[in-house]
């Protein structure tokens, strides 16, 4: 379970060095994070430990991650943005 303190850390981790990532991650955590299953929430938390250039490449479709869980989370976030 994500305690308020853990969720606050997660929100802070969504603040990245790239504006392109900020506009994807911050709204997602604020609007859709609670709708994820607990394993998906943990995957999202793990996604935030990745480097900004990798995240940017995945979200922009320039590269794909080899990790299937992270790839699914990237797809979930992208689908959410397109809605």
């Amino acid at each position: 379970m994500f305690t308020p303190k853990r969720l606050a850390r997660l929100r802070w981790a969504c603040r990245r060095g790239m504006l392109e990532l900020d506009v994807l991650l911050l709204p997602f955590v604020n609007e859709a994070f609670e709708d994820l299953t607990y394993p998906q929430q943990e995957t999202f938390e793990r996604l935030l430990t990745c480097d900004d250039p990798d995240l940017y490449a995945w979200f922009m479709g320039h590269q794909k991650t080899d990790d299937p869980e992270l790839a699914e989370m990237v797809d979930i976030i992208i689908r959410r943005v397109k809605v």
Side-chain angles (χ1 to χ4, degrees):
M1 176 173 196
F2 277 76
T3 63
K5 186 175 182 178
R6 188 174 176 191
L7 193 54
R9 272 194 227 128
L10 193 70
R11 283 192 174 99
W12 181 257
C14 287
R15 299 179 62 188
R16 311 302 289 204
M18 292 182 167
L19 178 62
E20 296 88 349
L21 296 177
D22 288 349
V23 299
L24 287 172
L25 299 173
L26 285 169
F28 181 82
V29 79
N30 288 328
E31 299 167 9
F33 183 77
E34 291 182 9
D35 296 334
L36 299 174
T37 65
Y38 185 72
Q40 288 174 324
Q41 290 176 340
E42 288 186 320
T43 300
F44 181 78
E45 185 175 42
R46 190 163 56 90
L47 180 76
L48 296 178
T49 66
C50 298
D51 294 330
D52 285 359
D54 291 332
L55 291 172
Y56 180 81
W58 299 339
F59 284 117
M60 296 303 127
H62 300 227
Q63 295 176 358
K64 291 216 177 254
T65 175
D66 294 333
D67 184 313
E69 290 177 344
L70 293 180
E72 178 187 5
M73 184 54 55
V74 168
D75 289 341
I76 289 170
I77 294 168
I78 290 171
R79 282 194 312 266
R80 173 76 179 167
V81 170
K82 289 182 179 180
V83 171

